[in-house]
Amino acid sequence: MKSKYVILASALLISVASFAQKDQIKSAEKALKSGDAQGAVSILNDAENMVANAKDTEQAQFYYVKGNAYLNLADKNIETSKNLSLSAESYKKLIEVEKASGKQKYSTEAATSIGQIKGKLINAAIADTQANKNAEGAKKLYDAYALDKKDTINLYYAASTAVNAQDFDLALPMYEELKQLNFSGKGTLYLATNKVNSNEDNFASAKDRDMAVKLGTHEKPRTEAVPSKRGEIYKNLALILVQKGRTEDAKKAIAEARKANPEDSSLLLTEANLYLETKDFDMYKKLVGEALEKDPKNADLVFNLGVISAGAKNNADAEKYYLKAIEINPEYTNAYLNLAALKLEAEKPIIDEMNKLGTTAKDMKRYDVLKAQRENVFKGVIPYLKKANELDPKNQDVAKTLLGVYSALEMTAEAKALKAKM
């Protein structure tokens, strides 16, 4: 008989707890309706330890009211990011409870609210980045991704924004997650111009875009290919790992990526840049050679080979690569500048020798020879400096260098014309 009383007492306790929880949910709803969202949250937090023993319907109602309370606080700009995330977390628990019970009362509304929260987080993140609060923006974008992990582009933007904030500890796990997902971001944009506001809108499909054009709401349809973002992702991942002294991990990550995505040429370039960063020039040249076999018209690669050759004091090869880069891209400003700088290096030994000469007839004769050589050096760089100045007229360093050359050669008219433009 005694054990029966114990069972009865336990049932009574559970029943009392259930009644208490119902009262707390009602009190929280009342507080929320009166505008006291923080009071509603406090009431529900006090009842949190009893929610596991409540009926499914009561659990759903509990999380529904809690989600609404947190969302109300966020709408009042009270710890916006934190409360948006807590609101979404409550709604997700609600949906889980109702899915398990098979009875759906609040799930549709909760799902709509989660979508709205995601939009609010993204908009808040955009506002943060515009205010140069990139770290805060990155966290909000990650929270938006956490709400809808199928929308992986938000994880990519979160990682990129964290890099802009120079918060590499924040960015690293995001890039590692992108790596784990083998995220590419490659796709197609279906665009058309909105006739009302002249903005270019993106559509989910070519069919949707073409329908809008047919209905007359949009015009100027176009399709744009979005390239793979893997190269950028692995480049940033590698640079962060190198900065943290984990060079071998960086090399391993890119090697694995290339193996998994052999057709993605951006990864080959990323691997080459990693070896350039770590000053392994032999491996860099090997990888660049491989890249040029696939893309012989890549002026950047050729230019970089010129930079490496110049650094190794192999000026003949450097000149060859700079000229090749210009052949590929006649508007490659830096190639013209580097060619000019390379050729101007020949002036120093000439000046050094001129400064050592005396006033004998022999020395004066040698001086005239050296002076002619120096003038030839200057004449040789004029075409490259003029072209660089033409391509980048706002670059004062280029203009000053060219002006110095004109002055040295006593090209008064040219110097005067250039000075007038500066």
Side-chain angles (χ1 to χ4, degrees):
M1 285 293 290
K2 190 175 181 182
S3 62
K4 289 181 181 178
Y5 289 124
V6 173
I7 293 167
L8 183 62
S10 299
L12 187 62
L13 285 170
I14 291 168
S15 178
V16 169
S18 180
F19 280 124
Q21 190 174 60
K22 279 183 180 178
D23 288 343
Q24 284 169 308
I25 293 172
K26 285 180 181 178
S27 295
E29 282 184 316
K30 189 176 179 181
L32 185 57
K33 284 177 183 175
S34 68
D36 184 12
Q38 190 61 64
V41 168
S42 298
I43 292 167
L44 293 171
N45 281 341
D46 289 340
E48 189 87 48
N49 61 337
M50 292 186 286
V51 82
N53 295 319
K55 295 177 182 177
D56 291 335
T57 53
E58 289 170 12
Q59 285 189 46
Q61 186 183 10
F62 174 89
Y63 289 122
Y64 173 71
V65 177
K66 199 171 188 181
N68 289 345
Y70 279 128
L71 186 55
N72 187 278
L73 288 171
D75 287 341
K76 291 176 180 175
N77 296 320
I78 299 170
E79 294 186 282
T80 307
S81 180
K82 176 185 173 184
N83 285 318
L84 284 174
S85 296
L86 289 170
S87 176
E89 188 179 315
S90 296
Y91 289 137
K92 283 162 79 175
K93 285 179 181 176
L94 181 164
I95 292 168
E96 287 173 13
V97 169
E98 290 198 337
K99 186 177 180 182
S101 70
K103 298 174 183 177
Q104 294 194 358
K105 182 177 180 180
Y106 304 109
S107 289
T108 302
E109 188 179 338
T112 301
S113 294
I114 288 172
Q116 291 171 346
I117 289 168
K118 178 182 167 186
K120 287 175 186 283
L121 283 167
I122 292 170
N123 289 335
I126 292 168
D128 281 341
T129 56
Q130 289 172 343
N132 290 320
K133 297 178 182 176
N134 288 309
E136 292 90 335
K139 289 170 186 172
K140 290 183 177 75
L141 285 167
Y142 186 83
D143 286 343
Y145 159 69
L147 291 181
D148 181 8
K149 292 205 169 185
K150 289 180 286 188
D151 200 354
T152 47
I153 192 68
N154 287 320
L155 176 59
Y156 164 76
Y157 286 132
S160 300
T161 306
V163 166
N164 290 340
Q166 300 289 297
D167 192 336
F168 301 127
D169 288 333
L170 179 63
L172 181 58
M174 295 178 185
Y175 279 119
E176 287 177 331
E177 191 168 351
L178 286 166
K179 171 180 174 286
Q180 188 178 8
L181 293 169
N182 198 27
F183 174 82
S184 161
K186 188 176 182 179
T188 306
L189 297 178
Y190 302 102
L191 306 162
T193 302
N194 190 313
K195 287 184 178 180
V196 175
N197 56 26
S198 298
N199 290 336
E200 195 168 46
D201 295 335
N202 181 31
F203 293 83
S205 67
K207 185 179 179 182
D208 290 348
R209 189 261 322 271
D210 295 343
M211 179 59 72
V213 172
K214 191 174 181 180
L215 290 169
T217 60
H218 289 73
E219 61 183 352
K220 300 175 185 175
R222 70 183 185 88
T223 302
E224 182 180 311
V226 179
S228 169
K229 296 175 177 65
R230 282 200 190 100
E232 179 201 333
I233 290 166
Y234 280 89
K235 176 187 174 185
N236 287 341
L237 174 60
L239 289 176
I240 293 169
L241 289 171
V242 168
Q243 188 190 60
K244 290 182 171 293
R246 295 169 57 186
T247 304
E248 292 308 312
D249 287 341
K251 291 176 181 177
K252 183 180 176 184
I254 294 179
E256 287 175 353
R258 283 194 64 197
K259 188 175 180 181
N261 306 277
E263 299 305 314
D264 196 333
S265 59
S266 67
L267 292 172
L268 173 57
L269 299 180
T270 297
E271 187 174 21
N273 284 329
L274 172 60
Y275 284 98
L276 180 60
E277 286 286 330
T278 54
K279 294 183 169 44
D280 187 342
F281 298 130
D282 289 339
M283 189 63 177
Y284 173 79
K285 289 176 82 170
K286 176 180 176 295
L287 290 166
V288 166
E290 190 179 331
L292 284 171
E293 284 180 15
K294 295 182 178 182
D295 185 11
K297 296 295 184 182
N298 191 319
D300 289 333
L301 290 179
V302 177
F303 174 79
N304 282 347
L305 287 175
V307 173
I308 290 171
S309 298
K313 301 299 179 186
N314 188 341
N315 288 4
D317 275 359
E319 183 176 354
K320 177 183 73 176
Y321 289 126
Y322 292 145
L323 289 170
K324 181 66 177 176
I326 289 168
E327 182 186 324
I328 296 168
N329 178 8
E331 296 191 352
Y332 205 123
T333 307
N334 286 339
Y336 292 105
L337 285 174
N338 282 22
L339 260 174
L342 191 71
K343 289 188 171 294
L344 281 172
E345 286 180 15
E347 184 200 11
K348 188 179 182 302
I350 295 172
I351 291 291
D352 289 343
E353 188 179 346
M354 288 172 82
N355 288 336
K356 292 175 184 176
L357 294 173
T359 56
T360 65
K362 183 181 178 182
D363 284 345
M364 294 304 291
K365 189 176 179 181
R366 178 59 183 165
Y367 181 90
D368 290 338
V369 171
L370 292 172
K371 183 184 176 185
Q373 289 179 1
R374 184 171 178 248
E375 288 176 352
N376 285 334
V377 169
F378 287 149
K379 289 174 184 175
V381 301
I382 286 176
Y384 303 122
L385 289 173
K386 280 181 69 176
K387 186 65 177 179
N389 181 244
E390 177 191 318
L391 293 170
D392 189 7
K394 292 181 181 178
N395 191 323
Q396 289 297 302
D397 290 334
V398 176
K400 286 175 182 176
T401 304
L402 181 55
L403 186 62
V405 169
Y406 283 151
S407 299
L409 293 173
E410 298 180 359
M411 297 173 67
T412 311
E414 289 83 352
K416 188 177 179 180
L418 178 60
K419 212 167 187 177
K421 294 177 184 178
M422 291 173 66

